[in-house]
Amino acid sequence: MSIKANLFYDIAADEIVGLQQLNENKQYLPANNVFTIMARGIFHNWKQPIGYVFVKSSCDAANVKKLIFQTIRELYNINLKVRAVITDVGSNFVNFTNILKVSENNPYFFVDQYKIFYIFDICHLLKALRNNFLKYRFKDKNGNIIHHKYVIEFYERDKKRNYRLAPKLTDAHVRPQAFQKMKVKLASQLFSRHVANGMATEIEVKSLPEEATSTMIFIHNMNNLFDLLNSSKKTSFEKEIFKNMFRGEDYQLNLLNKMLIFFKTVQVLNSVNREVTNTIKSLHCWRITIKSTILLQKELNKSICTRRLNQDCLENFFGAVRQQGGNCFNPTPVQFKRAFKKLFSMQFLQHSEGANSCNDFASMLVAIESKERNQCQIINSILSRTTSAHKSVEVDTTDYRHLDMGEQNSLSYVCGYLIKKCLMKHTCDTCSNFAVACKVLTDDKLLCHFNAFDDDAPFGNLKMPDEAFIFYIATLEKQFASLFSINSILPSCGQNIKAALAAVPIPHPCEQFPHDYLLSLFVRMRIFYSIKLINKQLLSAPKRNRKLAILTHL
């Protein structure tokens, strides 16, 4: 799922949310995608989100393998028998199948001794085929040309009729724009029985040429194939028998084997009649999916509701996540994290009528009414959070002696704020005198002078500590700049930075001075400010070139 690159400092967990974390590795990169895993029942209608990781772009094949293998082992440990893995047709998942040597002849892989069938999401496959159908021409094993021009010709004539042969067909179906290409409904309505029957009618009355017959048959077969691989119920209509649950009956196997041969032998031709079949990866995915479905039903020896073998449940979960943020299409990482925690075990999933996928009607495996934090976690060990070696990002450092006059004034003002907060924790004559030790108005303290409400003294009611304290804060700032990039990927990042800064000696005469509180306040303030600057840069940077840079001036 696509998310907005944004960092957030979680005070309670003392960690920065929004950096890339794959398996056991957390890297100093802002994430703009989230890789999510959900479990789904084949025979019983339940679903359960399992876990997620934030990634910079997409999860590469090697990390996909580690995540999926680890998750399958964890699920078997709690007696959930994983029989299939369903993914979309992204290049990382295609590469994943290549690593596992998944093929039409062996559409499965093994995790330890467990056989796992691999299935590509039928909805993504249908959209990919629709896009290729509208871009290229297909040539079957008999030399017949399957061309989208016949569908467009049929539509241009049909849309002018008062009583249409294919009333649902629109420009969005035959000339889809960017977002329309993402709609499964538009692809399924293009490859539908109504379009095939309408074209058959025009072929019979000679409105369409005989050459359009192969295109009509292709659309008719794709309608039946999608019904079979997306079945959810038993139908009494003879023309919709492919919507029945998959039982391995002869008419079902005949269709699957026929389409298996089609996807194996079809040639794809571009506009200059050059074959580009090898560049269309989805054809290979179709063959794996069809063969996996056949073998899975044969091995289980039960009727399968094939609609449970797609990603609708996960797409609906993403829709529910977006609804938690007020229909936010691209939530931030912390918004996703909070929505996932809420939806993880509480039955708040409501299907939207305008969603891209059909309602899966599945109930949550775990529906916990209690809001106790420790009760909302089932499989907490799937995605561990240890760290590994990484390359640090270079950050700017601050040298108090070389700051310009504006920055020196800002630093002095912040030092007065920090010493004032410390006085609220401990007050004595020594601390009070130290907080107002500076009595001379200099150029680097003009901001404090102008912000003072009382004109009787140079700094009025504002605190202005000794020059040594200002230099101490500047030293902490310089140390923080070098520590932040290293510790931001670690658990308890704030505590780690605070422990390192504690080694810097503080020039304060009072032994009871709340040094620990000062460090906590400084570290928390600096982390928040650094993240604010990072998010500002991420928001303003070009989408294709969002490099993480940190400004560390106070």
Side-chain angles (χ1 to χ4, degrees):
M1 175 182 171
S2 201
I3 57 176
K4 183 187 296 182
N6 184 275
L7 301 185
F8 178 84
Y9 180 50
D10 187 342
I11 299 177
D14 193 14
E15 68 170 358
I16 296 176
V17 179
L19 295 174
Q20 174 171 283
Q21 179 178 352
L22 290 171
N23 286 321
E24 299 176 351
N25 304 329
K26 194 171 184 181
Q27 296 174 297
Y28 197 55
L29 295 169
N32 50 26
N33 282 274
V34 57
F35 179 86
T36 312
I37 301 176
M38 174 178 277
R40 176 81 186 271
I42 296 179
F43 300 122
H44 300 281
N45 202 15
W46 61 266
K47 58 187 175 183
Q48 182 64 49
I50 298 298
Y52 63 91
V53 291
F54 294 124
V55 292
K56 169 64 178 174
S57 54
S58 63
C59 197
D60 61 87
N63 282 305
V64 168
K65 180 180 178 181
K66 293 177 183 178
L67 283 169
I68 290 181
F69 273 49
Q70 187 178 1
T71 303
I72 290 173
R73 292 188 179 106
E74 294 284 353
L75 292 175
Y76 265 101
N77 288 339
I78 59 172
N79 297 322
L80 287 178
K81 299 177 181 178
V82 182
R83 305 312 298 269
V85 168
I86 293 93
T87 68
D88 60 37
V89 291
S91 59
N92 55 333
F93 294 117
V94 174
N95 293 335
F96 174 49
T97 60
N98 294 333
I99 292 175
L100 299 176
K101 297 182 179 180
V102 172
S103 64
E104 176 189 341
N105 296 327
N106 295 296
Y108 50 80
F109 60 96
F110 286 90
V111 177
D112 302 329
Q113 71 272 25
Y114 308 117
K115 181 192 284 187
I116 311 296
F117 289 95
Y118 202 100
I119 298 175
F120 289 97
D121 178 45
I122 182 64
C123 299
H124 283 86
L125 286 175
L126 192 71
K127 289 188 292 183
L129 185 67
R130 185 273 316 274
N131 295 339
N132 290 322
F133 171 71
L134 295 177
K135 184 177 181 180
Y136 303 111
R137 292 175 296 137
F138 298 159
K139 185 178 181 180
D140 64 20
K141 64 178 182 177
N142 298 321
N144 298 316
I145 298 297
I146 300 168
H147 204 305
H148 59 270
K149 70 178 183 180
Y150 299 118
V151 178
I152 296 176
E153 182 182 344
F154 163 73
Y155 165 68
E156 293 295 338
R157 188 162 38 248
D158 188 54
K159 71 177 183 179
K160 299 175 183 178
R161 299 185 176 113
N162 291 328
Y163 302 97
R164 298 181 58 184
L165 297 175
K168 290 186 178 180
L169 208 59
T170 64
D171 280 349
H173 294 83
V174 297
R175 301 181 187 91
Q177 302 301 315
F179 287 103
Q180 292 170 338
K181 291 181 180 180
M182 299 171 62
K183 291 289 184 180
V184 183
K185 180 175 69 174
L186 298 179
S188 62
Q189 289 174 346
L190 178 63
F191 296 135
S192 67
R193 182 168 55 89
H194 297 288
V195 174
N197 292 342
M199 291 181 66
T201 302
E202 289 210 344
I203 292 172
E204 285 295 322
V205 300
K206 308 300 181 181
S207 295
L208 280 176
E210 287 290 334
E211 290 79 7
T213 303
S214 55
T215 305
M216 178 271 296
I217 294 174
F218 167 73
I219 293 175
H220 178 76
N221 289 336
M222 285 308 306
N223 171 75
N224 293 339
L225 180 62
F226 183 69
D227 285 348
L228 179 54
L229 296 180
N230 195 45
S231 62
S232 61
K233 62 182 179 179
K234 181 178 181 180
T235 177
S236 58
F237 296 102
E238 183 178 351
K239 292 185 178 181
E240 294 185 343
I241 56 174
F242 290 102
K243 290 185 177 180
N244 289 329
M245 296 178 69
F246 181 47
R247 298 181 175 85
E249 296 185 10
D250 290 340
Y251 76 93
Q252 295 174 327
L253 292 175
N254 289 338
L255 173 66
L256 291 176
N257 288 323
K258 180 172 69 174
M259 297 308 295
L260 199 60
I261 294 173
F262 171 80
F263 288 118
K264 191 173 184 178
T265 59
V266 68
Q267 293 179 299
V268 183
L269 307 175
N270 62 13
S271 58
V272 294
N273 212 33
R274 180 180 298 174
E275 186 177 355
V276 292
T277 309
N278 292 334
T279 64
I280 310 300
K281 304 299 182 183
S282 59
L283 298 178
H284 177 65
C285 300
W286 272 106
R287 299 199 299 270
I288 292 176
T289 299
I290 293 173
K291 199 63 179 290
S292 281
T293 305
I294 295 173
L295 295 180
L296 178 62
Q297 189 279 329
K298 185 177 181 181
E299 187 165 303
L300 296 175
N301 198 25
K302 289 184 179 180
S303 300
I304 297 178
C305 178
T306 54
R307 180 166 287 187
R308 295 180 189 168
L309 301 179
N310 61 29
Q311 286 189 310
D312 279 358
C313 58
L314 191 56
E315 295 292 342
N316 291 333
F317 179 76
F318 287 157
V321 169
R322 294 184 179 103
Q323 289 177 8
Q324 298 302 310
N327 282 335
C328 178
F329 188 75
N330 285 332
T332 63
V334 71
Q335 287 175 330
F336 181 91
K337 179 181 179 181
R338 290 167 176 169
F340 187 94
K341 183 184 293 185
K342 181 178 180 181
L343 300 172
F344 180 77
S345 55
M346 295 194 170
Q347 203 161 0
F348 288 152
L349 293 178
Q350 295 180 354
H351 183 259
S352 172
E353 292 299 327
N356 188 32
S357 52
C358 296
N359 194 348
D360 51 74
F361 297 106
S363 57
M364 296 294 284
L365 176 62
V366 179
I368 299 178
E369 297 302 327
S370 172
K371 295 184 180 179
E372 292 296 326
R373 182 175 181 179
N374 59 355
Q375 291 180 328
C376 294
Q377 299 178 7
I378 295 179
I379 309 172
N380 198 29
S381 62
I382 288 181
L383 304 173
S384 58
R385 296 197 174 193
T386 56
T387 59
S388 64
H390 68 284
K391 183 179 179 181
S392 299
V393 177
E394 294 183 2
V395 295
D396 295 333
T397 57
T398 301
D399 190 335
Y400 176 57
R401 295 166 298 180
H402 296 92
L403 293 179
D404 64 39
M405 197 54 62
E407 289 175 313
Q408 290 185 37
N409 274 270
S410 297
L411 179 61
S412 300
Y413 188 80
V414 170
C415 290
Y417 168 79
L418 291 173
I419 203 72
K420 177 183 177 182
K421 297 293 288 187
C422 291
L423 286 176
M424 298 172 66
K425 294 293 181 180
H426 170 74
T427 304
C428 65
D429 292 340
T430 303
C431 292
S432 299
N433 293 332
F434 186 84
V436 292
C438 183
K439 304 292 186 181
V440 180
L441 178 60
T442 55
D443 289 344
D444 61 333
K445 298 176 180 60
L446 289 173
L447 179 64
C448 300
H449 172 71
F450 292 125
N451 280 338
F453 291 104
D454 187 0
D455 294 333
D456 295 337
F459 309 111
N461 59 340
L462 297 182
K463 307 299 181 185
M464 185 50 57
D466 188 85
E467 192 74 20
F469 184 80
I470 298 177
F471 190 81
Y472 167 73
I473 296 299
T475 305
L476 294 184
E477 166 65 19
K478 183 176 181 179
Q479 294 292 326
F480 178 89
S482 62
L483 293 169
F484 179 73
S485 61
I486 300 173
N487 289 277
S488 60
I489 65 172
L490 302 177
S492 304
C493 65
Q495 290 296 328
N496 295 336
I497 296 175
K498 176 183 170 183
L501 295 181
V504 180
I506 181 171
H508 199 286
C510 180
E511 295 182 356
Q512 303 298 322
F513 181 76
H515 186 205
D516 185 75
Y517 172 76
L518 172 64
L519 290 177
S520 298
L521 181 63
F522 173 83
V523 169
R524 184 178 298 181
M525 182 178 67
R526 282 302 284 113
I527 290 177
F528 275 122
Y529 188 68
S530 295
I531 290 176
K532 179 180 178 181
L533 291 175
I534 294 169
N535 290 334
K536 185 177 180 180
Q537 293 180 15
L538 290 173
L539 190 63
S540 60
K543 194 171 184 180
R544 294 182 180 178
N545 189 28
R546 287 185 174 177
K547 294 183 178 180
L548 183 61
I550 298 178
L551 298 178
T552 55
H553 296 303
L554 275 169

